Amino acid sequence: MENRFLRLTIFISIAITLFSFWDHHLVRYLKDFIVFIHEIGHAIAALLTGGTVHAIELHGNESGETIAIPSSGKSSFIFVVSAGYLGSCLIGGFLLNRGFSGKMVRPTLISFGAILLLMTISYSKPGNLAQYTGILWGLGFVLLGLFNLKMNHFVLVFIGTSITLYSLYDLLDFTGNIVFTDAGIMAMWITGANPTQSIPKSVIVLGYLIALLWSFFSLSIIFVSVKKVFQSGTQDTELLQEEDAFHFPEGANAETPFPGDVTPEVMEWFFSKGLDLNGKPLPAEFLEKEE
């Protein structure tokens, strides 16, 4: 995928397709998977801060839950709560970048699938939707990575686009039920509000600000990932042109002999010295014929 216009067309086409069929029942499986990625972001953040993860659950209504205990400290809590959306955008942006650039596609698929399987086996409850989702999608990515298929590039682009766009879309949904969203949880934690009582306006305002801040960082992650990919095609072409100009100046013959081949000029030099190609003197009858 070296054409910049083609990359942009594919990205926009996937986005339009997702928005058009967002409420289709088949897209539900994709939504469950993306929510699972969101919850994995919380779990990995908790583990990175030295905390513990007890379970990852999916509820089947585009919502999930990560039961984790971060290490003590305010920064750890903020990091873990923020890792759902920001972590999803990081994962989506990375997959999008790998798919468009075509670099390390198979290792990316295998590693991504292996991480999904590891997190599923370690933290999902038996029989929960999270277990089925993680195992099926994880095995699918690993199997795709084992085979060098042309569709692997598109798979990474499609999954990366889906994850990043859903993360942004889901940020807009927090106002409908602020108590059970990441932005609302952080806002209530900061203000010290009680979720069982009426929600004060300060929590709603702060929740808006947190969601806007996450949106800014999410858009920045997507922009950086996509920008580098869309520019790489032009940069690669320029580098190739510079290399061609360096190795093959204008008017020179770009074709070079294969290493070990003897050119006619070298052969003529050996014969003019009365030697064969092994450096041994030519037979007398051969020299007489040449004369």
Side-chain angles (χ1 to χ4, degrees):
M1 297 184 183
E2 297 179 357
N3 189 295
R4 182 169 55 180
F5 178 76
L6 176 61
R7 294 172 179 174
L8 182 60
T9 302
I10 292 174
F11 180 78
I12 295 176
S13 299
I14 293 175
I16 294 175
T17 302
L18 288 173
F19 283 125
S20 301
F21 295 93
W22 194 247
D23 294 326
H24 196 277
H25 68 278
L26 291 178
V27 183
R28 179 171 60 88
Y29 301 103
L30 178 63
K31 293 178 183 178
D32 290 336
F33 165 70
I34 297 174
V35 173
F36 186 62
I37 296 297
H38 176 101
E39 300 304 329
I40 284 180
H42 289 305
I44 293 177
L47 295 174
L48 290 176
T49 59
T52 57
V53 178
H54 294 286
I56 297 176
E57 299 180 3
L58 295 181
H59 303 315
N61 57 350
E62 297 184 39
S63 66
E65 182 180 7
T66 300
I67 304 174
I69 302 176
S71 62
S72 59
K74 296 181 179 180
S75 59
S76 298
F77 181 83
I78 295 174
F79 179 69
V80 172
V81 176
S82 302
Y85 291 110
L86 299 184
S88 295
C89 281
L90 280 173
I91 294 173
F94 176 76
L95 297 179
L96 190 62
N97 184 281
R98 295 299 88 186
F100 272 133
S101 65
K103 298 177 181 178
M104 304 292 289
V105 173
R106 294 177 64 188
T108 299
L109 284 169
I110 294 174
S111 301
F112 185 49
I115 292 173
L116 289 176
L117 291 173
L118 178 62
M119 297 298 292
T120 301
I121 295 172
S122 301
Y123 302 113
S124 65
K125 293 183 177 180
N128 186 263
L129 180 60
Q131 185 184 51
Y132 301 129
T133 301
I135 290 177
L136 290 176
W137 283 89
L139 286 176
F141 288 127
V142 171
L143 290 176
L144 282 175
L146 294 177
F147 300 96
N148 190 18
L149 304 176
K150 293 183 179 180
M151 64 176 292
N152 287 352
H153 297 262
F154 180 77
V155 170
L156 286 179
V157 171
F158 179 79
I159 296 298
T161 304
S162 302
I163 294 174
T164 52
L165 291 181
Y166 185 82
S167 298
L168 293 174
Y169 166 81
D170 201 36
L171 277 171
L172 303 176
D173 191 46
F174 82 101
T175 54
N177 200 0
I178 191 171
V179 178
F180 300 103
T181 61
D182 295 342
I185 291 173
M186 182 175 290
M188 287 187 291
W189 177 77
I190 293 174
T191 59
N194 189 344
T196 60
Q197 300 176 356
S198 59
I199 302 173
K201 291 184 178 180
S202 59
V203 172
I204 298 176
V205 173
L206 185 58
Y208 269 112
L209 294 176
I210 293 172
L212 288 174
L213 182 63
W214 285 347
S215 298
F216 171 77
F217 284 119
S218 299
L219 286 172
S220 300
I221 293 170
I222 297 172
F223 176 76
V224 171
S225 301
V226 174
K227 180 182 177 182
K228 287 185 177 181
V229 169
F230 288 162
Q231 288 181 341
S232 62
T234 304
Q235 293 173 349
D236 292 344
T237 303
E238 293 175 353
L239 288 174
L240 287 174
Q241 291 176 348
E242 291 177 0
E243 291 178 358
D244 290 342
F246 177 78
H247 291 292
F248 307 115
E250 187 176 357
N253 186 6
E255 295 183 359
T256 57
F258 187 81
D261 285 352
V262 179
T263 62
E265 292 80 7
V266 174
M267 188 180 299
E268 183 179 354
W269 184 88
F270 271 88
F271 289 162
S272 66
K273 301 297 183 181
L275 303 173
D276 63 13
L277 297 180
N278 294 320
K280 297 180 180 180
L282 291 170
E285 58 270 17
F286 182 85
L287 293 175
E288 291 176 358
K289 290 181 180 180
E290 286 292 318
E291 293 175 356

